[in-house]
Amino acid sequence: MGNITKIAAAAIGLAAVLSASAGEVEVLHYWTSGGEAKSVAELKKMMQAKGHTWRDFAVAGGGGDSAMTVLKSRVISGNPPSAAQTKGPAIQEWAAEGVLANMDPVAKAEKWDEVLPKVVGDIMKYKGSYVAAPVNVHRVNWLWGSSEALKKAGVATMPKNWDEFFADADKLKAAGLIPVAHGGQNWQDFTTFETVVLGTGGAKFYQDALVRLDNKALTSDTMKKSLETFRRIKAYTDPSAPGRDWNLATAMLIQGKAGFQFMGDWAKGEFLAAGKQPGKDFQCAAAPGTANAFTFNVDSFIFFKLKDASARKAQADLAGSIMSPAFQEVFNLNKGSIPVRSGVSMDKFDDCAKLSAKDFAETAKSGSLVPSIAHGMAVPPAIEGAIKDAVSQFWNDDKITVADAMKQIAAAAKTK
């Protein structure tokens, strides 16, 4: 990948690059599907407009697991990229290794503390100092619907609770359609699971069980009910689900072959990239039982320590650009997510995004804004991985009882 110390990290977007010479920036990310790739193209275009060269370091795999493996090997060998897409507790883990740059000067100059919700700002910091810049907010607890499939099955409105959901799933099945589009990757199983827990127990229970990892919550009747509901959903997926990527599951809705999908709002980027319109071709609604809660997934970039002064200046400009209102608008319009900072106009955004932004602001005040465990926001990666494996084993093996699954999840929560 070349000697990173010779590469001047370049500013992307709108921040003026006055003292830094034009250079090359290498950015590690895992945005490789249609809607995501379009967003990356915007970053590249903005950087090129400033005369810089974008070096794409894309690692496929929607959950980012592969990207993190590659990043670790690069950092261990003393050859990190200029910036890398990382999030949640993993930010603090990288910072604890002493390899990240302190971004407080730009954060203070541009008042990040004032424009970010505290729950998000705290995740971007290590020992009180910013080491990462957030790009967006994804709501994870969405249920997507194919207008074509739902109409064919006689489903008039999106289900608000689990009883309505299963009644609608039966209608889709009777119409010869696949009720739930799902992909067989463990993070997709985990995404559905956390949404079921939120919809069954509410935000406080979710916080106790999947953020605080309280053993009482993890072995409770509410968790038992969550696992029963989760297993019931599996019966409405198709036999070809194992190994399917999430965007191919979304494509099943776009093609009218399946009715519903549990997935974060990056799925909306796929609908939009296919020329589909919200409210007309596809439906968005908070997943059953989760209308007053919000599981968030914030994409962010960590910045590595650089020796060259001009590279450090460019790096600060890059951080400022990522957080600028203009960049947040254009990036999130493409990505299907919403701006993470306040002060960005939502006029150009669609109704799904406007609902997401409204709920994001309201849940931040009410305490129902909770981090997604399935998307690296809630617990350290080792614990997340252990619980994710237990959840997927239960999803994929009907012989595992609910009681045994509960024990396995509770044991995984104690992973060191």
Side-chain angles (χ1 to χ4, degrees):
M1 291 292 173
N3 188 344
I4 292 301
T5 57
K6 293 178 183 174
I7 295 173
I12 295 172
L14 307 167
V17 185
L18 299 174
S19 64
S21 57
E24 182 176 84
V25 62
E26 185 182 28
V27 180
L28 183 149
H29 65 88
Y30 42 92
W31 289 323
T32 54
S33 71
E36 294 174 328
K38 202 173 173 188
S39 297
V40 173
E42 284 297 333
L43 263 75
K44 184 177 179 180
K45 196 168 30 171
M46 286 181 170
M47 200 195 78
Q48 287 173 334
K50 286 289 179 188
H52 297 298
T53 305
W54 171 277
R55 193 180 206 188
D56 209 42
F57 184 5
V59 182
D65 294 343
S66 303
M68 288 306 97
T69 303
V70 174
L71 180 60
K72 277 170 188 166
S73 66
R74 287 282 302 270
V75 175
I76 288 165
S77 67
N79 184 32
S82 312
Q85 185 185 351
T86 310
K87 61 191 179 183
I91 294 170
Q92 282 77 40
E93 292 197 350
W94 279 111
E97 295 294 321
V99 295
L100 300 188
N102 184 325
M103 306 309 290
D104 275 349
V106 66
K108 282 173 182 165
E110 302 190 9
K111 301 178 178 173
W112 289 6
D113 275 346
E114 292 176 27
V115 299
L116 292 174
K118 188 176 185 300
V119 67
V120 174
D122 286 348
I123 292 170
M124 300 298 132
K125 296 176 180 178
Y126 177 69
K127 293 186 176 176
S129 293
Y130 280 98
V131 292
V135 180
N136 58 357
V137 178
H138 278 296
R139 186 180 200 170
V140 179
N141 59 307
W142 283 113
L143 179 68
W144 302 95
S146 163
S147 299
E148 183 187 335
L150 297 179
K151 188 178 178 185
K152 190 176 176 185
V155 176
T157 57
M158 292 288 278
K160 291 183 174 61
N161 56 51
W162 292 114
D163 288 342
E164 289 180 11
F165 172 79
F166 288 117
D168 291 343
D170 284 334
K171 287 179 186 175
L172 285 157
K173 203 171 190 177
L177 297 159
I178 297 163
V180 179
H182 188 76
Q185 293 163 319
N186 59 6
W187 70 268
Q188 293 189 62
D189 302 337
F190 209 13
T191 296
T192 302
F193 175 74
E194 76 169 22
T195 297
V196 171
V197 171
L198 184 68
T200 305
K204 186 185 182 303
F205 177 77
Y206 176 96
Q207 187 92 23
D208 288 345
L210 300 182
V211 183
R212 290 180 52 237
L213 304 174
D214 177 65
N215 191 66
K216 191 177 172 186
L218 288 169
T219 55
S220 66
D221 285 345
T222 306
M223 183 55 74
K224 178 174 178 280
K225 191 177 177 186
S226 299
L227 283 161
E228 287 167 351
T229 303
F230 180 60
R231 170 156 280 170
R232 199 173 162 195
I233 292 169
K234 170 78 185 296
Y236 292 97
T237 61
D238 68 307
S240 301
R244 179 187 289 143
D245 279 333
W246 71 268
N247 51 311
L248 298 181
T250 306
M252 292 162 66
L253 271 71
I254 292 168
Q255 294 156 7
K257 294 177 181 175
F260 296 123
Q261 182 185 19
F262 292 97
M263 189 53 62
D265 52 16
W266 47 93
K268 189 183 67 177
E270 296 301 298
F271 286 109
L272 299 179
K276 302 300 180 184
Q277 294 176 23
K280 182 186 171 190
D281 304 304
F282 67 95
Q283 306 296 320
C284 60
T290 73
N292 298 317
F294 193 117
T295 35
F296 68 84
N297 175 19
V298 174
D299 287 314
S300 53
F301 283 96
I302 52 174
F303 302 96
F304 290 91
K305 284 181 178 174
L306 302 171
K307 292 174 184 173
D308 184 78
S310 64
R312 289 198 299 272
K313 166 70 171 70
Q315 188 178 56
D317 289 337
L318 165 58
S321 299
I322 284 170
M323 278 286 286
S324 69
F327 175 71
Q328 292 256 329
E329 179 187 75
V330 71
F331 181 87
N332 287 293
L333 281 169
N334 277 319
K335 185 75 162 62
S337 44
I338 60 170
V340 66
R341 58 161 294 154
S342 59
V344 180
S345 169
M346 294 299 292
D347 291 350
K348 293 180 185 173
F349 287 82
D350 59 72
D351 289 345
C352 298
K354 284 173 181 169
L355 174 62
S356 188
K358 174 179 157 286
D359 289 350
F360 178 61
E362 287 179 3
T363 56
K365 288 174 189 164
S366 70
S368 305
L369 180 63
V370 291
S372 164
I373 187 172
H375 295 276
M377 301 303 303
V379 300
I383 295 174
E384 177 195 327
I387 298 177
K388 181 163 56 181
D389 287 346
V391 166
S392 269
Q393 284 164 10
F394 175 70
W395 176 267
N396 289 306
D397 187 351
D398 291 340
K399 295 192 188 85
I400 298 174
T401 65
V402 168
D404 284 344
M406 215 155 36
K407 283 176 193 164
Q408 287 165 8
I409 290 167
K414 294 181 173 72
T415 302
K416 295 295 181 203

